[in-house]
Amino acid sequence: MSRELRIGMIGYAFMGAAHSQAWRTVNRVYDLPVRARMVAVCGRDESKVAAAAVRLGWEEHTTDWRELVARDDIDVIDVCTPGDSHAEIAIAALAAGKHVLCEKPLANSVDEARAMVAAAERARAAGVRSMCGFNYRRTPAAAVMRQLVESGRLGVIRHVRAVYLQDWIVDPQFPLVWRLQKEKAGSGALGDIGAHIVDLTQFVTGQRITGVSALTETFVKERPLPSAAAGLAAEADGSGTGPVTVDDAALFLARLEGGAVATYEATRFATGRKNGLRVELNGSLGSVAFDFERMNELEFYDSTQPIQEQGFRRILVTEPEHPYMEAWWPPGHAIGYEHTFTHEMRDFLEAVGTGVDPTPSFVDALGVQLVLDAVTRSAESDSAWTSVAPALEQVAA
């Protein structure tokens, strides 16, 4: 280890806990050119952030993110806050010469995302790096899926089929948490979980989405007010109700630049589905499917085999030869959700430590934001076909 990268993290709830676990673990399992040091965590509530610092393994805590960004003993700002603050924090951190890791989706609007890309490009000239945290592409099986496509094993991709199904707000009495408020979250299921399958499919195919026809729906229009800003464990405070201002479900047809047609569905109303992310690709030579509920496996069909041997077969992605797996357990031993974040930090530290740009970049994340924006505009226009501009064109503009 040649040097430390001193981390300051803003936000300590669900994503903050996941990122903290990854920062604690990454240098214990991977041999990297830099070591992560967990210096300080930031949150608005003094007592809660103090407790979080102890629980999650941070040396210090603060309630002032601007003070954290300005500190000379911080090299990296990790943004784990709701989407309405991503742009302000990330732009300030980049201007202060801090490397930035920002949770997805990058921002709440295309304009904010473009401003973040511009800030990242300015900082890049001074050797300051930035990355957006789409963790599912760091699942080893998803990385193998991409390798199969890149090596030509599937031939020409013709169909992409992607769903992300949850059910945590099926109960109409579940409170109006920040994820259900447009001014804080930007969008609902579309940005929260739809962004993941947009990024994942563009990653595994190597192709961007060029156009969409979409519809969105909000099934529960009013919800009880929460007792406090909280996530999945929130409770109502009994003071009344407020309007839900985001989508509960988003569905869209899409076309990819290579000619494939695609379907996407993101919903938090799929009763019985807890974290059902599934992507299937059908090509001219074969098919492959990834299901996060069986995250250590792929289903692979190879039509070039003799007809009497054809059929979907299971690939168990647990070998040291598979992406990311060399640092973990003996062959056949599975990993879990938290490992995707450790892999994310590994890639970030490797890139920063060797002086290269990590991926997905803010430009890549702007590409996802452009798809989300096109889906929203299509749904508002009676599902009219809506083109998606390339991210690099948006940056140039």
Side-chain angles (χ1 to χ4, degrees):
M1 299 290 179
S2 60
R3 62 187 178 92
E4 286 184 331
L5 277 181
R6 298 160 297 182
I7 316 299
M9 187 179 74
I10 305 173
Y12 56 84
F14 173 25
M15 277 299 102
H19 282 222
S20 296
Q21 194 276 345
W23 289 124
R24 288 196 310 268
T25 305
V26 64
N27 289 121
R28 292 177 170 86
V29 294
Y30 289 106
D31 184 13
L32 296 168
V34 290
R35 173 171 291 276
R37 177 181 165 192
M38 298 169 63
V39 174
V41 61
C42 180
R44 290 173 295 184
D45 187 296
E46 169 69 31
S47 62
K48 290 181 179 179
V49 73
V54 174
R55 184 178 71 253
L56 300 176
W58 294 88
E59 297 175 13
E60 307 172 26
H61 70 275
T62 180
T63 58
D64 186 345
W65 70 260
R66 292 176 178 83
E67 178 269 334
L68 184 65
V69 164
R71 284 174 54 165
D72 292 335
D73 63 341
I74 296 294
D75 303 305
V76 175
I77 293 294
D78 183 1
V79 184
C80 295
T81 59
D84 62 333
S85 58
H86 284 189
E88 183 180 14
I89 295 172
I91 291 170
L94 290 165
K98 316 299 184 186
H99 307 293
V100 172
L101 171 60
C102 183
E103 254 305 320
K104 49 56 61 185
L106 187 62
N108 278 4
S109 70
V110 168
D111 286 344
E112 286 181 346
R114 287 179 66 179
M116 294 171 75
V117 168
E121 289 298 302
R122 291 191 296 270
R124 182 174 175 268
V128 176
R129 311 295 172 181
S130 52
M131 189 176 89
C132 189
F134 285 100
N135 65 296
Y136 288 114
R137 61 161 64 194
R138 263 76 189 203
T139 308
V144 172
M145 196 178 198
R146 178 182 170 99
Q147 290 176 346
L148 289 169
V149 173
E150 288 180 326
S151 65
R153 296 293 298 278
L154 269 63
V156 177
I157 304 300
R158 291 169 173 163
H159 284 282
V160 175
R161 209 165 290 109
V163 300
Y164 200 157
L165 312 177
Q166 296 180 344
D167 73 349
W168 61 275
I169 55 173
V170 166
D171 183 355
Q173 294 306 304
F174 186 86
L176 187 69
V177 296
W178 69 264
R179 292 181 187 273
L180 305 179
Q181 301 172 49
K182 184 177 178 63
E183 66 273 17
K184 295 180 180 178
S187 63
L190 176 61
D192 185 20
I193 56 179
H196 274 302
I197 52 176
V198 169
D199 176 73
L200 187 56
T201 54
Q202 292 189 139
F203 169 69
V204 297
T205 63
Q207 300 179 29
R208 71 176 189 87
I209 295 169
T210 60
V212 300
S213 173
L215 62 86
T216 60
E217 183 59 63
T218 303
F219 299 111
V220 177
K221 315 292 187 185
E222 293 270 335
R223 288 186 177 272
L225 297 175
S227 56
L232 303 184
E235 296 181 356
D237 68 1
S239 66
T241 64
V244 175
T245 52
V246 299
D247 58 283
D248 287 331
L251 300 88
F252 61 97
L253 304 176
R255 188 176 293 278
L256 276 66
E257 62 185 341
V261 294
T263 60
Y264 293 81
E265 180 181 1
T267 179
R268 301 188 289 210
F269 271 75
T271 305
R273 297 296 183 186
K274 304 305 176 183
N275 203 46
L277 187 162
R278 181 179 172 87
V279 171
E280 180 171 328
L281 310 179
N282 306 131
S284 58
L285 299 179
S287 295
V288 65
F290 167 68
D291 188 334
F292 191 72
E293 291 183 352
R294 302 201 314 267
M295 66 169 283
N296 294 281
E297 304 175 21
L298 286 177
E299 302 169 57
F300 178 55
Y301 182 92
D302 185 353
S303 69
T304 67
Q305 296 297 306
I307 187 69
Q308 64 271 28
E309 298 175 14
Q310 289 180 16
F312 274 95
R313 61 183 176 88
R314 171 176 173 254
I315 300 175
L316 187 61
V317 187
T318 57
E319 300 298 308
E321 292 78 12
H322 288 134
Y324 302 108
M325 293 302 294
E326 75 277 7
W328 295 110
W329 316 120
H333 289 68
I335 61 170
Y337 172 72
E338 72 276 13
H339 293 76
T340 65
F341 292 96
T342 303
H343 302 159
E344 182 178 301
M345 302 334 179
R346 189 207 82 160
D347 289 349
F348 183 79
L349 292 174
E350 180 75 31
V352 173
T354 56
V356 301
D357 293 321
T359 58
S361 67
F362 279 15
V363 173
D364 297 328
L366 170 60
V368 174
Q369 202 79 44
L370 289 164
V371 175
L372 304 183
D373 179 70
V375 168
T376 300
R377 289 186 287 116
S378 174
E380 291 172 347
S381 303
D382 199 25
S383 303
W385 187 259
T386 304
S387 296
V388 180
L392 289 177
E393 286 185 6
Q394 292 288 306
V395 173

